[in-house]
Amino acid sequence: MRITYQHANPRGGRESTLLRFEELIPDQTVAVLIDAGSGATVDDLLDRSADEYLTAVCLTHAHLDHYESLGRVIQDGAPILATPSTTAILEDVLAAGEAYYDITETERVIDRLDACDSWTRLVEGLHVHPVPAGHAPGACGFLFAVRDDDVYRTILATGDFTRRGAAGYPGLPTDLPVDVLVLTGATNSSFEATATELVTSITERVLAGAPVLACVSALTGVQIAYWLGHYFDRIDERVPIRLAGHVANVYDRLGYEVPAVESIPVFDDPGQFVENGAIAIAGPEVPVGGSSSRLFEQLRTDANAFVVQVTGGGTDPVTSGRCTTADFVFSNHPTREVVDDVVAAYDPVHAVIVHQRNDGADRFTDRYDSYVWATDDADEYCLFDRGGWTGPPWVSERTVRTVEANTDMTGHLFQDISSSSVPVPTVERTPSVDLTGEGLHLDSLDERFGGGESVADTSPPSPTADDAAESAVDDAAESAVDDAGEPADEGSPGLADIERRLDAIETRLRADEFEARVIDAQDGVTLLRLDEEIDDVSHGDRLTVSLSPIE
């Protein structure tokens, strides 16, 4: 048996990899493509004269940079394997993508789509199983098991991954048997801080009574709605969250039921989304078309409105209009330290770095006690050849001895690869909610918004200003009427006295002080958020504010 790898789009995002397995089938090379990003091709890579055919495409998740070329690479009757969640949404994703990108052959892609959630036989001697990968709802990696006489050789292609969960979907495990790690090298050291700041900004504005619009891609929109819905439930705030268009479709297809979240895939009146103290979530990421553009037009001239644009980077946000705008780059990748921890946990013979180029790929060279492949071309490289692992031709004998001394080169004994004897974590969404495990800094959020585990309060409520006013009015009225229900005598307060008391009560209430926080002060607009609720005020009321900074 012989195993090789090859970049399928070295001049693109380099997230697409072709794995070849020779001698599994007589006179034929089995080829499996992992992801089909921009510029991915197999026609130029497969040698028909040597009987090389595409056996399968493994799609890790439904982000554009991983599915864009699916319609151009499928051939030879190869199935497209994906998790049940990705399979459920891909038709909607492709349909939406056609409006903005060069997406082709969508019907043929859907016909080839095959949901995969357990060990699946590709050919005799080669099985594959999806593994959870965090990163985005429905994302996965793929674990391959290749029969080599009486043992199996294993390859894990992580796809884009995080150890964090994503909208209820678990992160990448680190307890699988792995010989070859095809590792996405994309990292981000600031995701958790950015995600927390994003949730903070939206929460501040919506609790201050502003109408909020979040412009996002579909999967990111679902993830943000999941965070917001569950966080508002945690802090006992009833904030309507309405998903529009494509985001709503994906939410429904994935079967979510998040508190306070309503999906409205088709709508005639954009005004039904725009409400003070409510959130609308729609795509695309920048409101220049689609649902987000229609909703943005409703808010463009509203100085009280807040529009946040959540992009994947490299896109200029829209800043025109009287509304307040903000933008965030949403790049859900692990830190470098987490990548190192994953490699250390798996301790593979080979680490093949993908989705990185130039310096980003070079920083992995000689970083691990494994054979590290950080190539940037379309050459085919051999990983295993007839009974043994082979290192890169450029490594020294010292490196070979180090790898052989520090890694398990013997393979894995599995009795029945297609049974549960080789346990792999499920790729399905979990019912439990762990916002901290998804990267949100709940301590920071709770400190600002008073969250935490809700505890039933059985003590009598403290009297409010309104309670005091009502009590005073009752006392005054009672003193003006005797026990028999007749008007009190001249020694008791009369109606004029009651009126004076009511005036005094009103004056005292109007003089009450309420602490507030400045949440925005720019472009001639200052927004305040009160730390406690004031009854009997509504949007548009004019109030007198006396400023007294609190030390």
Side-chain angles (χ1 to χ4, degrees):
M1 183 183 66
R2 190 169 186 266
I3 305 172
T4 68
Y5 88 90
Q6 187 174 16
H7 290 303
N9 62 338
R11 289 175 293 279
R14 207 174 296 168
E15 63 283 291
S16 304
T17 307
L18 188 69
L19 298 177
R20 287 183 177 84
F21 305 90
E22 297 180 12
E23 300 180 16
L24 289 178
I25 299 177
D27 302 321
Q28 182 177 327
T29 297
V30 174
V32 178
L33 179 67
I34 303 166
D35 285 329
S38 176
T41 180
V42 293
D43 283 334
D44 298 337
L45 304 182
L46 297 179
D47 185 354
R48 299 299 186 186
S49 64
D51 292 318
E52 292 185 351
Y53 296 94
L54 187 64
T55 302
V57 178
C58 293
L59 177 63
T60 61
H61 63 290
H63 278 165
L64 177 71
D65 59 338
H66 292 257
Y67 70 73
E68 185 175 357
S69 296
L70 275 178
R72 289 182 285 275
V73 301
I74 52 173
Q75 55 187 271
D76 305 330
I80 301 171
L81 303 181
T83 65
S85 294
T86 297
T87 302
I89 67 174
L90 195 61
E91 184 172 3
D92 290 296
V93 168
L94 294 175
E98 283 182 308
Y100 303 98
Y101 307 104
D102 185 21
I103 307 298
T104 64
E105 302 285 351
T106 56
E107 290 186 8
R108 198 155 67 99
V109 168
I110 298 304
D111 287 342
R112 299 287 188 205
L113 202 55
D114 190 1
C116 175
D117 61 0
S118 59
W119 282 109
T120 300
R121 176 183 175 276
L122 298 180
V123 297
E124 184 62 35
L126 176 61
H127 288 75
V128 66
H129 197 301
V131 302
H135 181 65
C140 75
F142 285 95
L143 180 65
F144 297 87
V146 193
R147 185 80 182 184
D148 178 32
D149 292 332
D150 58 347
V151 298
Y152 282 91
R153 311 293 180 171
T154 58
I155 303 170
L156 173 62
T158 65
D160 288 355
F161 78 93
T162 59
R163 293 282 287 132
R164 295 181 293 265
Y169 289 87
L172 185 78
T174 54
D175 56 354
L176 301 171
V178 174
D179 295 318
V180 177
L181 185 62
V182 181
L183 176 73
T184 291
T187 59
N188 182 5
S189 62
S190 62
F191 174 79
E192 294 188 2
T194 300
T196 303
E197 183 183 357
L198 170 62
V199 171
T200 299
S201 298
I202 292 175
T203 302
E204 279 185 337
R205 295 307 183 92
V206 77
L207 294 186
V212 176
L213 168 63
C215 307
V216 294
S217 64
L219 285 175
T220 299
V222 168
Q223 191 165 356
I224 292 173
Y226 179 92
W227 289 346
L228 292 172
H230 285 299
Y231 185 67
F232 291 143
D233 186 59
R234 170 188 173 88
I235 63 175
D236 198 26
E237 293 283 355
R238 298 296 176 258
V239 178
I241 303 171
R242 300 177 181 119
L243 311 185
H246 181 41
V247 179
N249 273 328
V250 170
Y251 177 91
D252 288 342
R253 295 281 189 182
L254 292 175
Y256 278 100
E257 293 183 1
V258 177
V261 174
E262 178 186 8
S263 64
I264 309 174
V266 180
F267 59 95
D268 295 322
D269 178 18
Q272 71 187 103
F273 290 88
V274 178
E275 178 186 345
N276 293 313
I279 300 169
I281 300 178
E285 300 172 340
V286 176
V288 294
S291 298
S292 65
S293 176
R294 295 173 64 191
L295 299 183
F296 180 64
E297 289 304 316
Q298 293 289 119
L299 298 175
R300 182 191 292 272
T301 59
D302 185 350
N304 186 45
F306 181 52
V307 177
V308 57
Q309 297 161 71
V310 186
T311 74
T315 303
D316 294 329
V318 172
T319 58
S320 60
R322 294 186 61 202
C323 61
T324 301
T325 61
D327 60 279
F328 293 84
V329 175
F330 195 95
S331 177
N332 194 4
H333 294 285
T335 65
R336 291 187 183 185
E337 292 76 15
V338 168
V339 172
D340 290 345
D341 290 344
V342 167
V343 177
Y346 284 130
D347 192 23
V349 178
H350 293 282
V352 179
I353 309 303
V354 299
H355 216 346
Q356 282 292 293
R357 59 173 60 253
N358 303 327
D359 292 343
D362 291 343
R363 64 184 172 85
F364 289 95
T365 303
D366 299 326
R367 192 175 182 88
Y368 309 116
D369 289 336
S370 305
Y371 294 130
V372 177
W373 305 77
T375 57
D376 59 0
D377 51 44
D379 292 344
E380 180 182 0
Y381 293 96
C382 182
L383 304 172
F384 184 89
D385 194 6
R386 293 172 178 80
W389 299 108
T390 62
W394 54 81
V395 301
S396 66
E397 286 296 324
R398 179 179 179 181
T399 299
V400 172
R401 290 194 298 271
T402 299
V403 173
E404 291 182 348
N406 290 282
T407 57
D408 183 0
M409 318 270 295
T410 60
H412 309 276
L413 290 170
F414 301 145
Q415 291 183 346
D416 183 3
I417 194 63
S418 62
S419 74
S420 59
S421 63
V422 188
V424 180
T426 179
V427 293
E428 293 302 306
R429 188 169 70 247
T430 60
S432 59
V433 178
D434 183 5
L435 298 181
T436 298
E438 299 207 5
L440 295 183
H441 297 162
L442 284 187
D443 288 346
S444 172
L445 289 167
D446 288 346
E447 181 179 356
R448 188 173 298 238
F449 303 115
E453 294 295 329
S454 58
V455 179
D457 185 1
T458 58
S459 61
S462 300
T464 64
D466 281 348
D467 294 331
E470 183 177 349
S471 176
V473 171
D474 290 341
D475 290 344
E478 287 174 5
S479 65
V481 179
D482 66 15
D483 291 341
E486 298 294 330
D489 59 26
E490 293 182 358
S492 300
L495 293 178
D497 195 17
I498 293 174
E499 185 175 357
R500 285 194 299 273
R501 292 190 185 188
L502 291 176
D503 288 341
I505 291 168
E506 182 179 7
T507 300
R508 181 167 59 83
L509 287 177
R510 288 184 179 274
D512 278 348
E513 295 181 350
F514 296 86
E515 293 185 2
R517 184 188 305 273
V518 178
I519 61 173
D520 193 38
Q522 60 178 343
D523 300 329
V525 176
T526 301
L527 298 178
L528 305 176
R529 179 181 183 275
L530 295 174
D531 291 341
E532 59 181 292
E533 183 178 354
I534 303 178
D535 292 333
D536 300 327
V537 296
S538 59
H539 180 68
D541 287 350
R542 296 180 63 83
L543 305 174
T544 299
V545 178
S546 177
L547 298 180
S548 178
I550 300 173
E551 297 297 334

